[in-house]
Amino acid sequence: MLLTCTQHVMIKVSSNSLSVGKFAHLVVLPTGVESAAERLVNSSQREGGRDEEIVVQFQDVAVGKTAEKKFKIKNTSAVKTEIQLVRQNSSVTPEVFTFVLNNKNLQPDDLVTLSVKFTPMIINEVCIEYFHLHDRSGGSKTTIKCVGTCKGLCVSFASDTIQFGQLSCGKTSTKSLEIINSSDCEAHYQFALDSSESVFKIDQRCGTLQPRSSKKLICSFQATQPINYYKKLACVIHNQEPLFVTLLGTCHSDAVKPAILEARHVDWYNSLTYRGLSGYSPEQIDAMEKEGNVCLDGDGIPTRQEDHQHTAMEEYFHDGYYSHLAFAVPHVSMNVRDIDFGRRIQLDSIMQKSITLTNHTKDKITCVWMGDTSHVFHVTPNSCDIPPLKSTSFRVTFKPTAPDQFYGAELECYAFYKCLTEYWQLEREYISPPWCLPLGTTGHTFSQQSETFLPKLELSSQKLQFPAVSLGESSFTSLLLRNTGATPIQYDFSNDNSGVFLMKPYRGIVEEGQQQVFLLHMSPTKAGRCEKVLQLRLNDDDRNTQKVVLVGYAEEAAVKLDNDGFLFFRPTCLNTFSTQQYGVRNTCRVPLRFEWMMSSDDAKLLTVSPQSGTIAPNEHQMHKWSFKPKEESRTLMKPVLVVTTTRGRLLSKSYLVPAEGKGTLGSLRAAESSVDCHNILAGCMETKNIDVFNDSDCDLHYELHVDSDKVLLQKCRKILRARTIQTIEATVQPTTCGTFTVAISYQLLSSADDTAVYIGEKRHLCYVVVSAVFPTLVATDVSCHGSASGRNKMQLWNLLNLSRFNSLMMKPLPLSSTSQKTTESMMASRPQVDMSFGAAPVGSEDCIINLTIANTGTISTNWYLKVEIDACVAIHHNC
């Protein structure tokens, strides 16, 4: 088509574009490492095509602290993608693992840093959570398993007993007490002691210990009453069970000198308590021993004493008052442990309240109250005797000294057997330590028209999470209150009428700049979530009220089984094993003890590893099952999983897991019944591939056998999956000429390892037919030109001795000549042939002889002709 300069034409061009769809692929790498081969140490590929799992392990992180681990994610594909991180449904509360991803969109070959943080909230708890990391297209998926352990404090005393010995009334004895913090975080401690009212005093009643440090406290003993003193003093520690220190002292006056109380007397009393004999006075024990009603050893300790173990937290709470539980019947009880006088407006008036003490022993006791009428809080009468199984009332008086003040104190009463005042009359030195009865008192003198102090405080948390427990088990936690103001704070926590939650102490005074550690106890009565909101009333003013939420869980044994509780095995060859990974997930918040149980018939076919053990909360644990059928049939087995709580009432739950397996007979076959190996040079090696088929429904472990050394097989023991093909390399190495037939057979094995046993007889697989030959060369024709042109073929044949040449070339070569040797060494092993080229005058025409050599064999042959060169003869060409 011809176009002029004023014409226009439209040309339509179409094209087809071809593109390839790609899935994105994400690879998790340690920080700073980009090689996919250098994965996290704890990464693993699950069997059965399951997702890859990466384990991120946090070890011993202090409560409230945060630990962080980082790793990189690389997009190894050629397409961009968006990262998605999904938390698996978890029973762990609150969420202690958090992820920080600075960029969710990844270009090809890009790297992004993923940070995981662990902030534990409950001490001595193992936390496990699972996260799924995948791209938006769903091309790759990785499971990230986060495991963290929360460690608590480790605070201890250098000595748990302080023995002040004997001193006179009004004198003071001092001792040191070392408190040690062996942990990596701060420790807040507080002694349950009012140094202004007690005969025992500590210079730093509350305080803070820095990590990996210790502190020496000064303890003093000053008494005015000539009696024995014994107090098992509790030291309350935030985020740790309480510690106890035993304080012993004896006070003498000019008229009264009781026996000196020692630690061995406390041990003797404890042994009596274990036997239920501490309710009898030493005088009664002495009489019972004389009558033969009680058997004591040489040291006066009851025989067959029992070992009663209980935790320090249980001992602190289970005193029969704050808790309805008690480890022993109380010897002396008080109807109240805390008295709140409330508001007192007129300072000149007297405000009194009564308390009642009951003697539960079998002998008369004497009760002596510390302090006197000069104190703001005091008790009258100061001392009193109480007959056995009787009660006596006392009056507690509140006598403040200044208006607009808060007052608080913890009074102490020591009760002891009256017979100990005449201990020298006893046959043995039986000394029972006294019982110390504390009484908390509070009150204030603010008028109704005036406002109380504005409290300034800090709480460690306003939502407390108790460790989950099983039914019948108790759980504990702690709360720290700091008075950050310049005035005292009076606190008053509301009670839980249901009795599920307990707090100690729940009422008292915190001086300015001081702190108070509270211990809380949870004892659930039914399974499920327990929650209570405590009202913290401050300074006796409803406007200064805060809330503290208590949350806990009581758990029953529960697990979730993979595959809806069914276990299937693929068809298995008789007397061999097939394995299957089966997952069990603990869906409750307490560790569970598990055990697989099965009938004796099922135990002959099934084995599991592990058969018993413990599953942590929220842990998904894989168990390896093995099925070994004995007969060719489908079998239904019924193993039972029994899970039990590890503490509390040991509640159990059983899960029936139907397991189905099929036993079958398997066999192998070769693609060719006869594998031909023709024209192989004798003494040389050649490799042949043999395709082996497994047409059965089961995997087969087998071992190959050959009946001749002319055929070698590489790796004789193998495994061939069901309905698959496998290529076997057979190396043929004949040593002589001829045709050989080698049989290859196989024998089934129970497994592929060294402990496998043979199953059944050998079975024929195929034949290998080997045809071994040697190379053959012959001279078929000869001709000449030049000066020897006058000779005929017969003359040339004879002169060159070609008949001998042909006879030698038809003979088999030695094996060493066909091996990998140099040409020179090969020629040295062959006999020589003498060839004559006749004679010619000097200067005559060259003699040219053409020799025709033919390969009469079936294989190609490399040949080399070596001619010994005579000094008088010039050879122009060597072939």
Side-chain angles (χ1 to χ4, degrees), residues 300-517:
I301 299 177
T303 57
R304 301 191 310 273
Q305 79 175 53
E306 302 174 7
D307 187 13
H308 289 251
Q309 298 292 335
H310 49 267
T311 65
M313 193 72 78
E314 292 172 339
E315 183 177 357
Y316 181 74
F317 268 101
H318 297 167
D319 55 1
Y321 179 78
Y322 284 94
S323 171
H324 64 280
L325 299 176
F327 294 113
V329 176
H331 302 81
V332 184
S333 64
M334 190 183 303
N335 64 330
V336 294
R337 288 289 185 91
D338 186 90
I339 295 178
D340 182 20
F341 286 91
R343 176 182 288 107
R344 182 181 176 183
I345 301 176
Q346 298 178 357
L347 298 181
D348 54 351
S349 63
I350 299 177
M351 183 178 291
Q352 293 182 337
K353 290 190 177 184
S354 64
I355 59 172
T356 301
L357 269 64
T358 302
N359 179 9
H360 300 279
T361 68
K362 305 296 191 297
D363 203 353
K364 182 184 291 186
I365 65 172
T366 299
C367 298
V368 178
W369 287 91
M370 300 298 102
D372 52 36
T373 57
S374 63
H375 292 198
V376 175
F377 298 96
H378 63 270
V379 180
T380 54
N382 180 262
S383 65
C384 180
D385 293 340
I386 305 178
L389 304 178
K390 299 296 182 180
S391 299
T392 298
S393 294
F394 295 85
R395 294 186 302 275
V396 183
T397 301
F398 174 38
K399 189 176 64 175
T401 57
D404 298 334
Q405 294 292 329
F406 287 108
Y407 295 91
E410 184 179 74
L411 309 181
E412 289 182 349
C413 173
Y414 285 90
F416 53 90
Y417 288 112
K418 188 173 180 60
C419 65
L420 290 177
T421 57
E422 300 176 352
Y423 70 94
W424 56 85
Q425 297 181 3
L426 301 178
E427 188 72 21
R428 293 175 182 259
E429 190 183 350
Y430 292 148
I431 300 177
S432 177
W435 302 284
C436 180
L437 305 175
L439 175 64
T441 55
T442 55
H444 68 88
T445 56
F446 287 90
S447 64
Q448 295 181 351
Q449 290 77 20
S450 61
E451 293 185 357
T452 58
F453 302 135
L454 181 64
K456 295 182 179 180
L457 72 157
E458 292 180 357
L459 291 175
S460 58
S461 176
Q462 290 193 301
K463 184 176 182 180
L464 298 179
Q465 177 78 43
F466 284 82
V469 293
S470 306
L471 281 178
E473 185 188 7
S474 298
S475 180
F476 305 90
T477 188
S478 61
L479 175 68
L480 177 65
L481 185 151
R482 290 191 182 94
N483 184 354
T484 59
T487 56
I489 295 178
Q490 184 188 58
Y491 62 87
D492 187 359
F493 282 93
S494 61
N495 291 323
D496 179 19
N497 297 328
S498 65
V500 175
F501 296 100
L502 300 175
M503 171 177 272
K504 185 177 180 182
Y506 63 89
R507 184 185 295 133
I509 301 289
V510 182
E511 298 296 335
E512 57 272 16
Q514 299 297 313
Q515 64 185 21
Q516 177 69 48
V517 179

Side-chain angles (χ1 to χ4, degrees), residues 832-849:
Q832 296 183 355
V833 178
D834 295 330
M835 294 183 178
S836 176
F837 292 89
V842 175
S844 59
E845 187 180 1
D846 293 342
C847 177
I848 300 173
I849 297 175

Side-chain angles (χ1 to χ4, degrees), residues 801-868:
N801 204 2
L802 295 180
S803 296
R804 174 173 170 75
F805 175 81
N806 287 341
S807 64
L808 292 176
M809 297 302 295
M810 292 297 292
K811 291 182 179 180
L813 293 170
L815 290 180
S816 59
S817 299
T818 59
S819 60
Q820 299 296 328
K821 291 188 176 182
T822 63
T823 304
E824 296 292 337
S825 61
M826 292 171 56
M827 294 302 300
S829 62
R830 298 304 303 266
Q832 296 183 355
V833 178
D834 295 330
M835 294 183 178
S836 176
F837 292 89
V842 175
S844 59
E845 187 180 1
D846 293 342
C847 177
I848 300 173
I849 297 175
N850 295 325
L851 181 62
T852 303
I853 299 175
N855 181 4
T856 59
T858 58
I859 60 174
S860 60
T861 303
N862 297 323
W863 60 276
Y864 179 79
L865 177 64
K866 182 179 181 182
V867 179
E868 295 293 340

Side-chain angles (χ1 to χ4, degrees), residues 112-140:
V112 65
T113 300
L114 181 62
S115 172
V116 55
K117 296 181 180 181
F118 173 52
T119 307
M121 298 297 179
I122 302 175
I123 61 175
N124 301 327
E125 185 177 64
V126 178
C127 302
I128 299 177
E129 282 196 78
Y130 296 86
F131 298 83
H132 297 303
L133 176 69
H134 58 86
D135 62 277
R136 189 173 184 180
S137 63
S140 63

Side-chain angles (χ1 to χ4, degrees), residues 14 47 63 98 104 106 142 157 189 287 330 332 355 366 410 468 504 532 623 702 777:
S14 62
E47 296 182 3
V63 60
T98 56
K104 292 186 178 181
L106 278 183
T142 301
F157 290 136
Y189 71 91
V332 184
I355 59 172
T366 299
E410 184 179 74
K504 185 177 180 182
K532 177 67 177 180
H623 297 171
Y702 66 95
L777 294 176

